[in-house]
Amino acid sequence: MDRWRVDPGTKLDLDKIDPGSTARAPGNKAKAEKATSELQDQIATLQERLWAERQQSLLVVLQAIDAGGKDGTVKHVFGHVNPQGCEVTSFKAPNEDELAHDFLWRVHSRTPAAGHIGIFNRSHYEDVLIARVHEVVPKAVWRRRYTDIKAFERTLSTAGTTVVKFFLHISKDEQARRFRARLDDPTKCWKFNVDDLKERALWDDYQRAFEDAITATTTKECPWYVVPADHKWYRNWVISSVLV
Amino acid sequence: MDRWRVDPGTKLDLDKIDPGSTARAPGNKAKAEKATSELQDQIATLQERLWAERQQSLLVVLQAIDAGGKDGTVKHVFGHVNPQGCEVTSFKAPNEDELAHDFLWRVHSRTPAAGHIGIFNRSHYEDVLIARVHEVVPKAVWRRRYTDIKAFERTLSTAGTTVVKFFLHISKDEQARRFRARLDDPTKCWKFNVDDLKERALWDDYQRAFEDAITATTTKECPWYVVPADHKWYRNWVISSVLV
């Protein structure tokens, strides 16, 4: 899985990574789904050992453009874990209390305890993504946050938390297909938000923001993976493999 | 008050600072107490402006050897502030939940919101003091925490929190006098803890631990002050002056 890891010192160029890639997949979709199911079982077994030992923890950070597949990843990769030892936090727009503190305050409070898996569906990275694209704060502020983020994750890491970060990389066409699918399917249309179209218009700005944030904050201890995610079955297989 | 600030790049030597100093005090004890009372009023007025503006916050960290005067400082320096905008957190031995997270987790959750004053009676510094003296963690771990602490305080500072740290510097003789006073006074004896004597036996270890921690973590943005604290009235006057 090393091919999808962003190593420190390399400048990420998302245009050079094919969102439709299925490189080294274990066969076709059906075979990959079978392999993923086995990996999910392994994750569940490993979770029990993590829980029993209570010395380490795992923090999984999921970031993507809208419709990138964050919710689906949580459902499919962690579908077999015991929810007693796994907390998912979905970070929305910060509330008044959160805005009254530094940007890491709300995420720090949700980091996993020893023995637990924590999943961040969006995270502190929004503060260098949305905050940058919508100019919520000036450049000097969001740039400085890269350093804050690295130090924060290093603190977690030295305390025994393995931090793994995934960027779900989809193409602009795939996003359009997923939006349309949401609108066409009565069981999915609740997921469609008209604001998503406004964000789509800022596609290129977001891609640049992701590239810079990932380049600046990928480290040996807390690496970023850019996961080709146009094919959901491939995305699930890659992420499960990395975690195992 | 610059004389008591520990500037970055200087190696602190506590033996060279007289805990009984009353340098530049505004006259005798009575005069200093009057001056402190006026400073307390100023602090209360400034707190109202902080509250009204809701853009910045103040974090005061108090550290000292047992009987060093932390509780007395809270009472006398912040006696006039509106408690609605001022939260004191006394950090005791970490509980199970706190131990299951990195050492900054519990303190980060208690940092002051914009418009507020936060006071830490003991703090994250215990994790490089008690933890070092009692060898709770190996040297490599507590030494690394200096870097974690600096990064954490920098995050707070860039988010608008002024971080000011005070070490209340008393002599070993003065500690003995205060322990005896606690035992002799029926209204104070509840404060005496027989474990304090065990800690007193480690006096020199603690002094070295304070010196190293203060030297390593005093910065331009988040400075340490070493306050001569054998005279309570002088200690209160110095701290009030620094804060104003």
Side-chain angles (χ1 to χ4, degrees):
Chain A
M1 289 304 112
D2 292 356
R3 70 185 303 130
W4 303 127
R5 194 180 55 224
V6 184
D7 289 320
T10 50
K11 169 83 185 79
L12 175 62
D13 182 350
L14 287 173
D15 295 336
K16 292 210 176 125
I17 299 176
D18 177 11
S21 173
T22 58
R24 301 199 188 193
N28 58 14
K29 180 179 172 187
K31 277 194 179 146
E33 282 179 342
K34 193 166 172 294
T36 301
S37 177
E38 285 161 15
L39 290 165
Q40 279 183 280
D41 287 341
Q42 274 185 270
I43 290 172
T45 306
L46 290 165
Q47 184 204 13
E48 281 221 2
R49 290 166 61 176
L50 188 77
W51 176 267
E53 188 202 35
R54 286 197 185 255
Q55 293 295 318
Q56 304 172 65
S57 59
L58 170 65
L59 175 61
V60 177
V61 173
L62 297 175
Q63 288 287 164
I65 210 89
D66 293 316
K70 298 184 300 295
D71 295 339
T73 299
V74 175
K75 185 171 172 181
H76 291 290
V77 174
F78 297 97
H80 295 194
V81 304
N82 182 340
Q84 181 151 288
C86 180
E87 292 91 33
V88 184
T89 310
S90 297
F91 291 98
K92 310 290 184 189
N95 64 29
E96 198 185 348
D97 216 31
E98 292 166 348
L99 286 172
H101 290 86
D102 70 275
F103 77 104
L104 293 171
W105 183 76
R106 66 172 184 163
V107 289
H108 203 170
S109 74
R110 301 295 301 163
T111 51
H116 288 244
I117 296 173
I119 301 170
F120 284 180
N121 185 339
R122 301 183 188 270
S123 68
H124 43 301
Y125 283 96
E126 295 298 337
D127 296 287
V128 292
L129 295 167
I130 291 182
R132 165 182 172 169
V133 171
H134 287 282
E135 296 176 3
V136 176
V137 293
K139 182 171 181 178
V141 170
W142 57 255
R143 279 190 64 92
R144 213 163 172 169
R145 287 178 177 167
Y146 293 154
T147 313
D148 292 330
I149 288 173
K150 277 204 286 189
F152 167 61
E153 293 178 356
R154 181 186 165 282
T155 297
L156 299 179
S157 162
T158 57
T161 301
T162 298
V163 182
V164 194
K165 303 170 284 191
F166 296 101
F167 171 64
L168 314 181
H169 181 41
I170 60 167
S171 62
K172 205 170 174 185
D173 285 350
E174 177 63 18
Q175 189 192 44
R177 266 189 297 275
R178 293 186 186 181
F179 281 166
R180 248 178 269 122
R182 285 179 181 182
L183 284 166
D184 292 346
D185 182 343
T187 71
K188 279 188 182 171
C189 62
W190 63 273
K191 283 200 112 183
F192 185 79
N193 183 335
V194 73
D195 286 340
D196 290 351
L197 295 180
K198 289 186 205 154
E199 293 298 279
R200 178 174 165 81
L202 299 166
W203 181 275
D204 291 337
D205 293 345
Y206 271 106
Q207 297 288 304
R208 298 298 85 78
F210 274 115
E211 280 173 351
D212 290 347
I214 292 170
T215 299
T217 59
T218 196
T219 63
K220 196 167 166 293
E221 295 77 23
C222 308
W224 271 104
Y225 288 82
V226 171
V227 183
D230 274 3
H231 298 288
K232 296 173 182 174
W233 58 267
Y234 183 70
R235 172 200 76 202
N236 294 339
W237 175 74
V238 169
I239 296 176
S240 304
S241 301
V242 169
L243 293 176
V244 166
Chain B
M1 289 303 113
D2 293 356
R3 70 184 303 130
W4 303 126
R5 194 179 56 223
V6 184
D7 289 320
T10 50
K11 169 84 184 80
L12 176 62
D13 182 349
L14 285 173
D15 294 337
K16 291 208 176 129
I17 299 177
D18 176 12
S21 173
T22 58
R24 300 198 189 193
N28 58 13
K29 180 180 172 185
K31 277 195 178 144
E33 284 179 342
K34 192 165 172 295
T36 301
S37 177
E38 284 162 14
L39 290 165
Q40 279 183 277
D41 288 341
Q42 273 184 272
I43 290 172
T45 306
L46 290 165
Q47 184 204 13
E48 281 222 1
R49 288 167 62 176
L50 189 76
W51 177 267
E53 188 200 37
R54 286 197 186 252
Q55 294 295 317
Q56 304 172 67
S57 59
L58 171 66
L59 175 61
V60 177
V61 172
L62 297 175
Q63 288 287 164
I65 210 87
D66 293 316
K70 297 184 300 295
D71 294 338
T73 299
V74 174
K75 184 172 172 180
H76 291 290
V77 173
F78 297 97
H80 295 195
V81 303
N82 182 341
Q84 180 152 291
C86 180
E87 292 91 33
V88 184
T89 309
S90 298
F91 291 98
K92 309 290 184 189
N95 65 28
E96 198 185 345
D97 215 31
E98 292 166 348
L99 286 172
H101 290 86
D102 69 276
F103 77 105
L104 293 171
W105 183 76
R106 66 172 182 163
V107 289
H108 202 170
S109 74
R110 302 294 301 162
T111 51
H116 289 243
I117 298 173
I119 302 170
F120 284 179
N121 185 338
R122 302 185 188 269
S123 67
H124 44 299
Y125 284 96
E126 294 298 337
D127 296 286
V128 292
L129 295 167
I130 290 182
R132 165 181 172 169
V133 171
H134 288 283
E135 296 176 3
V136 176
V137 293
K139 182 172 181 178
V141 171
W142 58 255
R143 278 190 63 94
R144 214 162 170 168
R145 287 179 177 166
Y146 293 155
T147 312
D148 291 331
I149 288 173
K150 277 204 286 191
F152 166 61
E153 293 178 355
R154 180 184 163 285
T155 297
L156 299 180
S157 163
T158 57
T161 300
T162 298
V163 182
V164 193
K165 303 171 284 191
F166 297 100
F167 172 64
L168 314 181
H169 181 42
I170 62 167
S171 63
K172 205 170 174 184
D173 285 351
E174 178 63 16
Q175 189 192 45
R177 265 190 296 277
R178 292 186 187 181
F179 282 166
R180 247 177 270 120
R182 286 179 180 184
L183 285 166
D184 292 346
D185 182 344
T187 72
K188 279 189 184 172
C189 62
W190 62 274
K191 283 201 113 183
F192 185 78
N193 182 336
V194 74
D195 286 340
D196 291 351
L197 294 180
K198 290 186 204 153
E199 293 297 281
R200 178 172 165 83
L202 300 165
W203 179 275
D204 290 338
D205 292 346
Y206 271 107
Q207 296 289 302
R208 297 299 85 76
F210 275 115
E211 280 173 350
D212 289 348
I214 292 170
T215 299
T217 60
T218 196
T219 62
K220 196 167 165 291
E221 294 77 23
C222 308
W224 271 104
Y225 288 81
V226 172
V227 183
D230 274 3
H231 299 287
K232 296 172 182 173
W233 58 266
Y234 183 70
R235 172 200 77 201
N236 294 339
W237 175 74
V238 170
I239 295 177
S240 305
S241 301
V242 169
L243 292 177
V244 165

